[in-house]
Amino acid sequence: MVYDYGRLQPKESYIKYIKEINYRLKEARIGYEFNTDANILIKKSDEAIYQLSIEPAFHLLSDLKFKESIDNFAKAFSDYQSGTTKDLENAITNASKALESTIKNICKLKRYELNEEKPLKDQVAVLKNKKFLPEKYSNYFDKITDLIIAVATP
């Protein structure tokens, strides 16, 4: 479950208190953490998955230029944690929206030409062709894109 506490960034003076709260939450094994990049309280069901994927994504998307992306990513994460069939479908839809809006923002910031009407696979290809995505991750992005398309297509 994700609890959104707004888009305001916490003041530096509060960060030490948030770290203390997170430390105590972890120590008590409560399973929640306040994410200062996204300003949301997140239920953490798996520490490894959180550290390797969720936390870095929130950090990368914390720039206000990516507000739509982080909002969709937070919705996807919340829907995923709810676990019902409908929520899982919504999680995939919102994850796809997060990826698309991230690609659009990157292309806008880098001044890459992007036809937003093109399918997701073509949008990812723009980033690959411009060498924005490292070659070693090319296969990874192809598989994720294929998975999102396969699951999101009725």
Side-chain angles (χ1 to χ4, degrees):
M1 183 157 305
V2 175
Y3 300 96
D4 187 348
Y5 287 95
R7 299 298 305 162
L8 297 175
Q9 293 297 317
K11 294 183 179 178
E12 288 299 317
S13 61
Y14 296 126
I15 299 252
K16 68 179 179 182
Y17 298 112
I18 292 170
K19 287 181 179 178
E20 177 69 19
I21 289 169
N22 283 340
Y23 172 78
R24 293 185 184 258
L25 289 170
K26 186 175 182 175
E27 186 178 63
R29 294 190 172 130
I30 292 177
Y32 283 86
E33 178 178 283
F34 187 81
N35 183 291
T36 56
D37 290 321
N39 278 355
I40 54 177
L41 184 66
I42 299 175
K43 180 179 179 184
K44 296 168 49 176
S45 48
D46 185 316
E47 185 69 28
I49 290 173
Y50 180 80
Q51 287 183 351
L52 293 172
S53 60
I54 306 303
E55 188 174 45
F58 277 125
H59 180 71
L60 289 171
L61 298 174
S62 65
D63 188 315
L64 289 177
K65 294 177 190 121
F66 293 93
K67 181 186 179 332
E68 182 182 351
S69 301
I70 200 165
D71 289 345
N72 285 322
F73 186 74
K75 287 178 198 171
F77 186 68
S78 179
D79 289 337
Y80 170 75
Q81 287 186 321
S82 296
T84 67
T85 302
K86 184 64 178 166
D87 287 333
L88 292 176
E89 290 172 7
N90 289 337
I92 292 165
T93 300
N94 286 318
S96 178
K97 288 178 183 178
L99 180 58
E100 287 179 15
S101 63
T102 301
I103 291 170
K104 288 174 189 175
N105 280 332
I106 290 168
C107 289
K108 183 178 177 182
L109 293 168
K110 294 286 193 178
R111 294 188 172 101
Y112 297 157
E113 189 174 324
L114 176 72
N115 182 345
E116 295 181 12
E117 302 302 317
K118 292 278 188 177
L120 180 60
K121 194 170 195 108
D122 292 343
Q123 292 179 12
V124 171
V126 168
L127 297 181
K128 287 170 42 178
N129 292 338
K130 295 289 186 176
K131 306 290 187 226
F132 181 82
L133 300 175
E135 188 69 32
K136 65 181 179 179
Y137 297 123
S138 181
N139 192 35
Y140 172 76
F141 277 96
D142 288 341
K143 290 186 184 303
I144 285 183
T145 304
D146 290 344
L147 178 65
I148 290 173
I149 291 168
V151 176
T153 305

